[in-house]
Amino acid sequence: PISKAFATLQSRANNDGGFGLWTSSPITAQFPSVYAAHFLIEARERGQAIPVETLTALNDWLNRYASKPASSLAEGRSKAYAVYLLARQGIRPTAALANVEQELNIRYTKTWPSDLAAAYLASTYQLMQRTTDADNLVRNVPWARQKKDWAGEIYYDAVQHDAQLLYLMSRHFPARLTNVQPTVLEDIGAAASGNQLNSLTAASTLLALDAYAKAAANTTKTGISEIGKDGRERALPITAGAIAKALLSITTAQVRFKNEGALPAYYSLNESGFDRNQPPAVSQGIEIFREFIDTKGNPTTRVKVGEEFLIRLRIRATILQPGTATFPQIAVVDLLPGGVEIVTELRTGQTDSRFGPLPVGIPDKSTWIPQHADVREDRLILYGDATRDAAAFVYRVRATSAGMFQIAPAFAEGMYDRKVSGLSSAGRLEVVKP
């Protein structure tokens, strides 16, 4: 539920009004804090009861943050984003806006007009009724296909650029949508169907599609029908909402879409299920290996109900940026067999101090320390940085029910670079009665 997300944000807030990345920390995670403000604003506009005091403190931080110099174009973009979010709430960030304008114009004269920073400023001008300045600025922001100066940043890529630009145009410059080339949404759709979206770009894509659909609602009429194997056509009921949805039957042979309006309509087809056969191991920038071991460190594939044993994950980055020693921000997902549960650790003593608040993991058997661990009923999700040298994370589990279990591969992926991923081999585990 969204209330859990609000509670998580509140637990990570610091005294400055911003947020730590994984826990409350005096070091504010700058872009994530700006993004969190956007999340709260969108939630409130959709009728959610957000923690008002959290957003109030965050707004103070946004104002201070945007009023300071930017050490890079990425930071300048983030500060322009912050100014836009303040303006969205009716707050007139005069001093912060002047600082962002000066920073971008003086330090990044040639690059910022083609950056997403320009779209944020144009939208801010539009909100402040500076329509001429807004139009002059937004008309020159290119789409990703035309933009050449990418810097390989964590939070900024072609999909993020196009999705946020489409969102801002749909919300603040709807008259310009007729000039949007079909390739823009096709490129975003190709990234989604090609499994190239991360949590950030997926959220931006949903915001963009929602805003685009709402802007097109008054000028476009769509319909969906299915044609069965018998050749008969049947109109499908469409769910209410900005993005129309319909369910297809298993006997559908063809789908027909109808669109009447000035803007083009787009569709996606979703099919869900499970793999019939286990996939092979994959190494695309990250290698991951998983094995079950007993408490003495010996590999095992057979345990007794009630018995504790260990899972060892080994992770290694095979692709690193030049001049770097780590690949930052990867997520590791280890899906547990049906008859196994995670054993949480009670942290006591000096030897456990380096594992800090992590609820799982055995320090004296591990050489990799994640930044955060998310323990769920059926899986363990770890977040951290991978190095060129293989490192191991060992955690404790307990067998709870007998049976022969087919085990899905462990999975590692760059949180913001989905081209980098790794898949371990699948396995089998037998749990027997004592």
Side-chain angles (χ1 to χ4, degrees):
I2 196 169
S3 58
K4 185 177 180 180
F6 295 153
T8 300
L9 281 179
Q10 290 175 301
S11 72
R12 298 183 186 181
N14 59 28
N15 292 334
D16 290 334
F19 301 101
L21 189 59
W22 297 112
T23 60
S24 179
S25 167
I27 301 175
T28 300
Q30 295 177 346
F31 175 83
S33 294
V34 179
Y35 175 74
H38 196 177
F39 165 71
L40 291 172
I41 292 168
E42 294 288 342
R44 182 173 61 184
E45 290 183 356
R46 287 161 172 76
Q48 298 293 330
I50 70 167
V52 177
E53 68 285 354
T54 301
L55 181 57
T56 300
L58 186 53
N59 283 336
D60 291 339
W61 177 83
L62 291 175
N63 218 327
R64 295 193 305 273
Y65 169 63
S67 300
K68 297 176 182 178
S71 61
S72 65
L73 178 57
E75 192 174 355
R77 180 191 316 118
S78 182
K79 293 178 187 293
Y81 191 8
V83 166
Y84 163 72
L85 294 175
L86 291 170
R88 271 279 295 275
Q89 300 172 78
I91 301 171
R92 196 174 183 86
T94 306
L97 176 59
N99 178 71
V100 171
E101 291 171 328
Q102 178 176 306
E103 287 289 299
L104 293 175
N105 282 318
I106 294 178
R107 295 194 180 198
Y108 314 106
T109 309
K110 295 182 179 180
T111 51
W112 85 269
S114 65
D115 192 89
L116 193 57
Y120 288 131
L121 279 192
S123 300
T124 302
Y125 295 154
Q126 188 77 350
L127 290 167
M128 298 173 67
Q129 306 302 315
R130 293 171 54 180
T131 55
T132 300
D133 292 336
D135 287 337
N136 289 338
L137 193 55
V138 77
R139 70 159 56 101
N140 294 318
V141 182
W143 297 99
R145 281 198 180 190
Q146 288 75 47
K147 182 175 166 59
K148 306 299 182 183
D149 50 342
W150 299 104
E153 301 171 27
I154 292 178
Y155 301 120
Y156 186 51
D157 61 11
V159 180
Q160 179 69 359
H161 177 90
D162 278 359
Q164 282 283 277
L165 182 55
L166 181 62
Y167 165 76
L168 295 169
M169 290 187 65
S170 299
R171 190 175 181 102
H172 304 292
F173 306 93
R176 291 189 171 275
L177 290 180
T178 54
N179 298 324
V180 177
Q181 296 296 316
T183 53
V184 173
L185 281 97
E186 291 170 4
D187 288 347
I188 294 174
S193 61
N195 195 33
Q196 294 302 309
L197 297 185
N198 55 53
S199 58
L200 174 64
T201 52
S204 295
T205 296
L206 289 175
L207 281 176
L209 295 179
D210 180 67
Y212 181 86
K214 288 176 179 176
N218 296 328
T219 60
T220 302
K221 182 179 180 181
T222 59
I224 305 174
S225 60
E226 64 178 4
I227 302 173
K229 295 178 180 179
D230 57 2
R232 295 182 180 180
E233 183 173 350
R234 181 175 68 90
L236 297 176
I238 299 176
T239 58
I243 301 176
K245 296 180 182 179
L247 295 176
L248 302 177
S249 65
I250 60 175
T251 60
T252 301
Q254 294 179 329
V255 182
R256 180 167 292 163
F257 297 91
K258 299 176 183 179
N259 177 46
E260 299 174 3
L263 296 178
Y266 300 84
Y267 71 89
S268 66
L269 183 64
N270 181 59
E271 184 179 25
S272 59
F274 297 92
D275 293 328
R276 292 182 180 274
N277 301 308
Q278 290 287 2
V282 173
S283 175
Q284 296 177 334
I286 297 177
E287 289 180 343
I288 180 168
F289 304 92
R290 182 195 54 213
E291 58 185 333
F292 300 113
I293 56 178
D294 60 26
T295 54
K296 297 180 181 179
N298 302 312
T300 184
T301 58
R302 191 172 186 268
V303 295
K304 297 177 182 179
V305 173
E307 183 180 1
E308 291 187 0
F309 61 104
L310 309 177
I311 296 180
R312 180 165 56 201
L313 299 169
R314 297 183 188 273
I315 301 145
R316 184 173 79 93
T318 59
I319 295 179
L320 295 174
Q321 294 290 339
T324 63
T326 62
F327 186 90
Q329 300 203 39
I330 65 165
V332 176
V333 181
D334 191 15
L335 189 64
L336 299 173
V340 173
E341 66 179 9
I342 294 174
V343 177
T344 56
E345 305 291 341
L346 179 62
R347 301 290 179 204
T348 58
Q350 185 78 21
T351 57
D352 290 349
S353 61
R354 67 192 184 100
F355 265 52
L358 292 179
V360 294
I362 304 175
D364 60 355
K365 296 182 182 297
S366 301
T367 55
W368 184 59
I369 306 174
Q371 297 168 353
H372 182 69
D374 183 0
V375 179
R376 302 187 184 180
E377 184 178 1
D378 65 342
R379 70 194 64 192
L380 174 65
I381 306 176
L382 304 171
Y383 304 90
D385 301 337
T387 65
R388 187 181 301 278
D389 297 325
F393 180 80
V394 180
Y395 68 101
R396 195 186 315 271
V397 293
R398 180 187 298 114
T400 58
S401 58
M404 179 67 75
F405 299 96
Q406 181 74 24
I407 307 161
F411 179 65
E413 186 175 65
M415 291 177 61
Y416 300 101
D417 187 350
R418 295 292 291 274
K419 297 186 296 296
V420 175
S421 63
L423 199 67
S424 76
S425 299
R428 294 175 69 87
L429 179 70
E430 184 181 8
V431 181
V432 299
K433 294 181 180 180

